[in-house]
Amino acid sequence: MNLRLQRQPSDENRTHGDLSIDGAWECFTLEDVVRPEKIKGATAIPAGSYAVTLENSPRFGPDTLTVNDVPGFSGVRIHAGNTERDTEGCPLVGRTRTASGIGESRAALAELKAKVKAALDAQDWVWLEIVNAE
């Protein structure tokens, strides 16, 4: 399974994007600002390709979508949330989008997690490609 997070240009507080699965739109995303230098808890992860697994997270529980081997970051999870205050450097997902955030995040996360789990059960790999705005 190939996930693609296509970012829009960051504003002063956040970065909106769109997540697709194998070329089909899945949901909206929200991240911290894309920066040339990392600021702890306030910077989007670098563009690139990452393996996604389901891991046990002390904060988010079992079967948490985990983005692996992100340079300069640890514990990167795809999780629910509505504004940049909820990201802590992680991508958030949602069904709706406003200028300041995303909505219906838990529903979007549940759908995405079910699809990733099915893919991992069937083929043992899921890749996330993150692409910055041009």
Side-chain angles (χ1 to χ4, degrees):
M1 171 184 281
N2 292 302
L3 307 175
R4 180 181 170 101
L5 193 165
Q6 177 64 58
R7 291 174 170 153
Q8 296 180 356
S10 296
D11 66 21
E12 62 188 42
N13 297 312
R14 68 197 60 84
T15 305
H16 285 283
D18 294 280
L19 185 73
S20 60
I21 297 177
D22 295 329
W25 186 87
E26 176 69 15
C27 59
F28 296 110
T29 64
L30 184 71
E31 300 175 88
D32 285 317
V33 174
V34 176
R35 303 175 199 277
E37 295 182 23
K38 182 182 180 328
I39 298 173
K40 183 176 169 123
T43 303
I45 63 177
S49 293
Y50 305 101
V52 175
T53 55
L54 292 172
E55 306 290 337
N56 186 35
S57 163
R59 180 172 175 192
F60 299 109
D63 288 339
T64 298
L65 293 166
T66 302
V67 183
N68 295 276
D69 301 321
V70 179
F73 293 77
S74 63
V76 176
R77 317 293 188 182
I78 299 172
H79 60 87
N82 301 111
T83 71
E84 70 277 356
R85 290 183 305 275
D86 301 323
T87 65
E88 296 183 24
C90 299
L92 307 177
V93 293
R95 286 184 174 171
T96 62
R97 176 166 55 200
T98 67
S100 62
I102 56 176
E104 298 182 41
S105 187
R106 291 178 197 264
L109 181 63
E111 290 177 13
L112 177 61
K113 190 184 290 189
K115 291 175 182 179
V116 168
K117 185 169 177 28
L120 289 171
D121 287 346
Q123 57 197 31
D124 295 325
W125 60 270
V126 174
W127 286 98
L128 170 64
E129 178 187 17
I130 299 176
V131 181
N132 286 339
E134 295 180 9

